[in-house]
């Protein structure tokens, strides 16, 4: 490789090295272009017979710039070279050019402008501003001296004036074209790189989401069988106490495992930034009812009082991610019950700063439990952090719950704060602003407690004339779900694929079809579509409930859009199956079990509300609530 090739290679390496800043690369390009430009101008000058001093100045500049660039390449000192050239430009090159090359004539203005453009394009930050200001003053001084002492400016003929100014115009334009073309090229390249990167990120995100949902699906499918079969054992009145105890243990562990999987999946989604918030219109009264119904029995079993008070002014229909808001409240209430041995747990809901289209919900969950030590408060919301481990050793938990609660709340623009007195109890306040879809106040909310206490299992209804089809590609799941419905006396058919389900659907009319989603060949959504438009089909209007291992609010949305009439997540309990079927089987085919003992307790939410005081922070209480 000869000398020029080596230089050329170095030049290319610098210009296209994306680890260098755009301005550093512009410096290399600009300086190289200037060398060529000055050299060309010098040759033109020689032909036009310009004074020898001018030729020598140009030659000196070409040699200086070349040596400078050589050292930049050799020693990698771009920053230093840029500063040196800037000072030489303002303090030497421009004034010398002004006086030696005809002042404001002979295209001198273009030379000066080229220098200033160099300062603007190559320097950065404050240094650039300072150098540009100095440049204006130096050039101003040149103008004044040139005007007051014209004998200091080398004079040129009119012909030279015209030829030089035209030659400089061409050179100036070529340098500018080179720099601008380079900038555009780099910008295009960088836009492409960032586009590729964001595509890559999107793909990664999609892959992660696929992984999360398939993980969730794969784990839930066998747990469905484990918990289902276990429920069948528990229902059996003939089992010994020992077996009943073991089966209860399996049930507890299974549910714990499920909660753990849910937490880990939520947590990884959050870490990957792929947790989606899916806002919908929701009735806050219904949501609170569901929450209360879930917690009430747990509190009751532990001998705790569960008080609920809801501000009657809360707007009836809000717009937000109902599933995630419910998850936060349930998580805080579960903790309250979990960490309280005696006394009460309270849920208090208030609506503040309500306008026509917005309201801020303030949801307070307090308990009279063990409380949290002052020194543990700063770490309370950290992932995997369980506080007071000594005392909590026997209470199951992962330390993920509160971290998820906090992150979810913040993702939705909300906030969670805690106030606790060790040994006396804790108060968690979750605030979130929601859009108002229907501003009618919910008024007095009577939550009818649906919790059913069963000493021994008994089907909630019998429907011997009803016929149900369960479609699932997992034989064990089909078996379990069928058996879970045995006591309802429903006639249950099972189909191992969507195709088989369609074959049955032209021969038998079903009251309800329970349909898995992910099945090889024809999936549940395609099967539903085929059912709805099936020629000669007897089930074109039969309610179809999706019974899937795909959890998550985004899936709920998908099933809603696809036209399913209900949504059940695996692992499914006999109770949940019965509840769903009861909704869809016509009343004349159903006989509700008379002996079933319902713990009827209407929870009046406003009675408590009127005597409710705002949370009091005493001097002994520790809180991260702002004063
Ligand atoms: P865990 O799975 O351990 O319950 P969380 O993240 O939900 O995880 O809670 C973290 C820790 O905060 C718990 O281990 C417990 O020590 C403490 N904690 C949470 N809620 C309460 C509460 N209501 N009363 C007392 N301590 C609580």
């Amino acid at each position: 490789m000869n000398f020029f090739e080596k230089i050329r290679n170095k030049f290319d390496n610098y210009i296209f090295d994306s680890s260098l800043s755009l301005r550093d690369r512009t410096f290399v390009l600009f300086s190289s272009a200037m060398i060529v430009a000055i050299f060309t101008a010098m040759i033109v000058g020689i032909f036009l017979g310009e004074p020898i001093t001018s030729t020598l100045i140009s030659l000196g500049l070409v040699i200086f710039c070349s040596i400078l660039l050589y050292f930049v390449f050799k020693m990698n000192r771009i920053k230093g070279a840029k500063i040196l050239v800037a000072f030489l430009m303002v303090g030497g090159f421009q004034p010398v050019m002004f006086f030696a090359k005809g002042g404001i004539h002979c295209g001198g203005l273009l030379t000066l402008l080229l220098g200033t453009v160099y300062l603007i394009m190559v320097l950065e930050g404050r240094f650039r501003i300072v150098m540009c200001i100095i440049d204006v003053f130096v050039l101003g001084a040149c103008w004044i001296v040139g005007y007051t002492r014209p004998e200091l400016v080398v004079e040129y003929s009119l012909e030279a004036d015209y030829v030089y100014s035209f030659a400089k115009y061409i050179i100036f334009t070529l340098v500018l074209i080179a720099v601008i073309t380079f900038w555009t090229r780099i910008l295009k390249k960088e836009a492409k790189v960032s586009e590729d990167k964001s595509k890559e990120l999107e793909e990664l995100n999609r892959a992660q989401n696929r992984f999360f949902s398939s993980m969730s699906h794969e784990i839930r499918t066998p747990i469905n069988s484990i918990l289902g079969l276990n429920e069948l054992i528990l229902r059996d009145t003939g089992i010994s106490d020992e077996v009943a105890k073991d089966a209860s243990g399996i049930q507890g562990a299974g549910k714990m495992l499920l909660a753990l999987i849910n937490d880990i999946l939520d947590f990884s989604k959050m870490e990957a930034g792929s947790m989606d918030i899916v806002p919908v219109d929701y009735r806050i009264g219904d949501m609170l009812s569901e929450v209360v119904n879930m917690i009430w029995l747990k509190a009751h079993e532990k001998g705790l009082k569960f008080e609920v008070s809801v501000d009657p002014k809360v707007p009836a229909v809000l717009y937000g991610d109902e599933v995630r808001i419910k998850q936060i409240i349930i998580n805080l209430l579960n903790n309250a019950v979990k960490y309280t041995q005696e006394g009460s747990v309270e849920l208090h809901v208030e609506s503040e700063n309500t306008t026509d289209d917005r309201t801020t919900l303030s949801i307070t969950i307090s308990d009279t439990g063990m409380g949290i030590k002052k020194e543990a408060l700063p770490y309370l919301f950290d992932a995997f952090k369980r506080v007071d481990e000594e005392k909590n050793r026997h209470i199951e938990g992962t330390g993920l719950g509160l971290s998820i609660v906090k992150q979810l709340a913040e993702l939705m623009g909300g906030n969670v704060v805690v106030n606790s007195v060790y040994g006396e109890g804790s108060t968690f306040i979750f605030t979130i602003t929601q859009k108002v879809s229907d501003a009618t106040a919910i008024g007095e909310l009577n939550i009818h407690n649906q919790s059913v206490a069963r000493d021994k299992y008994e089907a909630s209804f019998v429907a011997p004339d009803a016929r149900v089809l369960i479609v699932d590609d997992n034989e064990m799941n089909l078996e379990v779900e069928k058996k879970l419905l045995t006591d309802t006396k429903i006639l249950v058919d099972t189909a191992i694929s969507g195709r088989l389900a369609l074959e049955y659907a032209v021969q038998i009319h079903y009251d309800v079809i329970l349909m898995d989603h992910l099945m090889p060949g024809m999936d549940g959504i395609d099967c539903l579509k085929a059912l709805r438009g099936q020629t000669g089909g007897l089930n074109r209007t039969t309610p179809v409930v999706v019974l899937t291992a795909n959890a998550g609010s985004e899936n709920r949305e998908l099933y809603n859009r696809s036209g399913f009439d209900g949504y059940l997540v695996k692992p499914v309990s006999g109770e949940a199956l019965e509840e769903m079927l009861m909704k869809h089987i016509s009343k004349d085919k159903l006989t509700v079990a008379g002996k079933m003992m319902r713990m009827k307790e209407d929870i009046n939410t406003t009675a408590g509300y009127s005597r409710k005081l705002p949370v009091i922070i005493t001097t002994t209480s520790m809180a991260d609530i702002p004063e």
Side-chain angles (χ1 to χ4, degrees):
M1 216 188 287
N2 65 31
F3 175 75
F4 287 106
E5 270 173 334
K6 266 191 199 164
I7 294 282
R8 169 81 208 271
N9 271 353
K10 274 274 183 193
F11 174 78
D12 281 355
N13 286 349
Y14 268 97
I15 292 286
F16 298 111
D17 179 356
S18 52
S19 68
L20 290 178
S21 79
L22 183 59
R23 290 186 190 276
D24 284 0
R25 288 190 271 167
T26 309
F27 165 73
V28 174
L29 179 81
F30 213 114
S31 312
S32 316
M34 292 264 268
I35 294 174
V36 177
I38 299 168
F39 187 74
T40 318
M42 185 184 81
I43 302 294
V44 174
I46 292 172
F47 276 109
L48 287 173
E50 71 171 0
I52 187 76
T53 43
S54 287
T55 312
L56 287 178
I57 289 171
S58 300
L59 188 64
L61 272 171
V62 169
I63 293 171
F64 172 77
C65 287
S66 308
I67 292 174
L68 188 79
L69 269 191
Y70 177 74
F71 280 108
V72 164
F73 288 154
K74 195 138 183 108
M75 295 159 76
N76 261 338
R77 302 302 282 265
I78 293 191
K79 292 262 174 310
K82 268 162 57 171
I83 294 171
L84 179 67
V85 172
F87 278 116
L88 289 176
M89 176 78 70
V90 176
F93 175 73
Q94 286 185 319
V96 170
M97 279 300 190
F98 183 85
F99 290 105
K101 303 259 174 171
I104 57 171
H105 304 288
C106 296
L109 285 180
L110 290 173
T111 316
L112 301 177
L113 195 57
L114 198 60
T116 311
V117 169
Y118 170 86
L119 297 179
I120 294 169
M121 290 188 120
V122 168
L123 303 182
E124 351 182 9
R126 241 182 248 158
F127 183 60
R128 177 168 67 153
I129 299 171
V130 172
M131 287 314 285
C132 286
I133 293 172
I134 296 176
D135 195 38
V136 170
F137 279 105
V138 170
L139 292 183
C142 290
W143 247 266
I144 294 167
V145 175
Y147 177 68
T148 50
R149 305 274 308 272
E151 70 278 9
L152 293 178
V153 180
V154 178
E155 256 190 65
Y156 284 75
S157 66
L158 188 64
E159 183 197 10
D161 191 357
Y162 270 86
V163 174
Y164 274 129
S165 51
F166 184 67
K168 282 180 184 171
Y169 163 73
I170 297 287
I171 292 167
F172 183 80
T173 310
L174 289 178
V175 171
L176 270 193
I177 288 175
V179 174
I180 290 169
T181 312
F182 168 71
W183 274 41
T184 340
R185 213 172 126 181
I186 295 289
L187 288 181
K188 265 194 197 152
K189 209 168 146 190
E190 264 160 28
K192 170 111 182 44
V193 168
S194 78
E195 198 182 305
D196 287 351
K197 272 209 182 119
S198 72
K199 266 193 200 148
E200 236 171 70
L201 265 178
E202 257 172 44
E203 185 42 47
L204 197 72
N205 240 334
R206 264 201 294 274
Q208 256 170 348
N209 275 336
R210 273 199 299 274
F211 171 74
F212 291 140
S213 69
S214 78
M215 267 279 281
S216 165
H217 184 267
E218 294 312 308
I219 296 170
R220 277 165 184 279
T221 308
I223 294 186
N224 191 42
S225 301
I226 296 173
L227 288 182
L229 289 171
N230 193 61
E231 191 179 330
L232 294 172
I233 298 175
L234 279 169
R235 281 183 191 181
D236 189 347
T237 43
I239 55 170
S240 67
D241 287 354
E242 187 78 21
V243 173
K245 200 168 147 239
D246 292 347
S248 300
I250 295 178
Q251 192 180 39
K255 285 188 177 161
M256 178 69 198
L257 182 62
L258 199 64
L260 193 67
I261 292 159
N262 287 342
D263 276 0
I264 291 176
L265 290 177
D266 275 352
F267 185 73
S268 351
K269 267 191 181 180
M270 219 95 75
E271 289 290 288
S274 55
M275 172 66 84
D276 292 324
I277 294 301
V278 186
V280 289
D281 277 339
Y282 66 96
R283 302 197 146 268
I284 179 139
D286 293 352
M287 192 259 272
L288 289 173
S289 274
E290 279 173 45
V291 170
V292 170
N293 275 312
M294 280 185 77
I295 304 297
W296 187 88
L297 194 61
K298 282 189 190 171
H300 182 83
E301 279 169 358
K302 246 186 130 176
L304 302 173
K305 222 168 132 198
F306 183 28
E307 289 180 18
V308 184
S309 51
V310 182
D311 179 355
K313 293 195 303 297
V314 174
V317 184
L318 302 176
Y319 181 77
D321 192 333
E322 177 189 13
V323 176
R324 296 299 177 189
I325 292 176
K326 205 158 77 182
Q327 182 178 348
I328 291 176
I329 305 174
I330 289 173
N331 214 315
L332 294 175
L333 278 170
N334 267 334
N335 273 354
V337 173
K338 203 159 76 169
Y339 296 104
T340 304
Q341 295 316 320
E342 57 183 35
S344 62
V345 167
E346 277 186 50
L347 169 68
H348 174 70
V349 181
E350 226 174 69
S351 164
E352 296 156 356
N353 306 328
T354 307
T355 62
D356 280 350
D357 59 350
R358 280 188 177 273
T359 187
T360 301
L361 288 179
S362 162
I363 299 157
T364 308
I365 288 112
S366 36
D367 62 62
T368 57
M370 59 173 61
I372 299 154
K373 279 187 183 156
K374 170 184 161 190
E375 54 275 20
L377 278 172
Y379 314 104
L380 200 64
F381 294 100
D382 289 359
F384 304 105
K385 196 91 189 168
R386 303 200 69 207
V387 300
D388 216 354
E389 299 233 27
E390 191 51 34
K391 240 179 156 177
N392 292 343
R393 225 182 22 241
H394 308 294
I395 305 176
E396 281 170 339
T398 55
L400 274 179
L402 284 183
S403 156
I404 294 173
V405 159
K406 182 101 179 162
Q407 292 190 60
L408 271 181
E410 284 169 2
L411 206 61
M412 295 187 287
N415 187 23
V416 182
V417 288
V418 58
N419 169 34
S420 188
V421 185
Y422 189 57
E424 286 183 28
S426 318
T427 300
F428 286 82
I429 305 177
F430 163 43
T431 37
I432 182 148
T433 302
Q434 298 278 276
K435 275 195 201 155
V436 174
S437 293
D438 178 356
T440 321
I442 47 169
E444 190 171 322
L445 186 69
N446 265 331
I447 297 177
H448 180 61
N449 190 354
Q450 305 280 327
S451 306
V452 177
R454 306 174 190 210
D455 284 338
K456 66 178 182 61
Y457 168 78
E458 195 177 346
S460 44
F461 66 88
V462 285
D465 297 330
R467 198 160 182 175
V468 167
L469 174 67
I470 310 178
V471 191
D472 198 313
D473 64 312
N474 184 307
E475 226 162 312
M476 176 83 92
N477 277 344
L478 282 179
E479 175 102 7
V480 171
E481 285 146 17
K482 184 175 177 172
K483 280 190 177 162
L484 282 173
L485 292 174
T486 312
D487 289 5
T488 60
K489 305 221 167 27
I490 295 176
L491 193 55
V492 179
D493 291 337
T494 55
I496 194 85
S497 69
R499 297 248 162 264
L500 198 59
L502 291 176
E503 280 177 30
Y504 290 171
V506 281
Q507 296 161 24
I508 304 161
H509 165 78
Y510 291 102
D511 295 276
V512 182
I513 296 175
L514 297 171
M515 175 87 69
D516 187 16
H517 173 203
L518 295 179
M519 295 183 282
M522 175 183 273
D523 75 11
I525 297 178
D526 291 340
C527 187
L528 171 69
K529 273 190 203 138
L531 273 174
R532 294 287 179 245
Q534 196 178 24
T535 352
L538 303 174
N539 294 278
R540 294 164 66 130
T541 54
T542 300
V544 180
V545 173
V546 65
L547 173 51
T548 172
N550 273 355
S553 43
E554 63 280 8
N555 289 315
R556 182 183 283 266
E557 261 296 285
L558 169 75
Y559 300 130
N560 238 339
R561 261 185 284 125
S562 308
F564 284 100
D565 301 279
Y567 171 61
L568 280 173
V569 190
K570 291 178 193 170
V572 68
S573 64
E575 198 182 325
L577 270 178
E578 287 173 20
E579 206 177 298
M580 182 60 82
L581 290 177
M582 231 164 138
K583 272 192 210 159
H584 294 291
I585 294 174
S586 72
K587 298 288 165 277
D588 50 306
K589 287 189 180 174
L590 276 176
T591 315
V592 177
K595 271 190 287 168
M596 203 167 60
M597 191 178 94
R598 272 183 188 278
M599 289 203 177
K600 281 218 176 98
E601 181 171 320
D602 282 349
I603 301 169
N604 186 318
T605 57
T606 34
Y609 181 76
S610 48
R611 60 175 164 77
K612 192 86 204 145
L613 291 172
V615 180
I616 296 165
I617 303 171
T618 64
T619 45
T620 52
S621 74
M622 287 318 304
D624 65 349
I625 303 170
E627 282 180 37

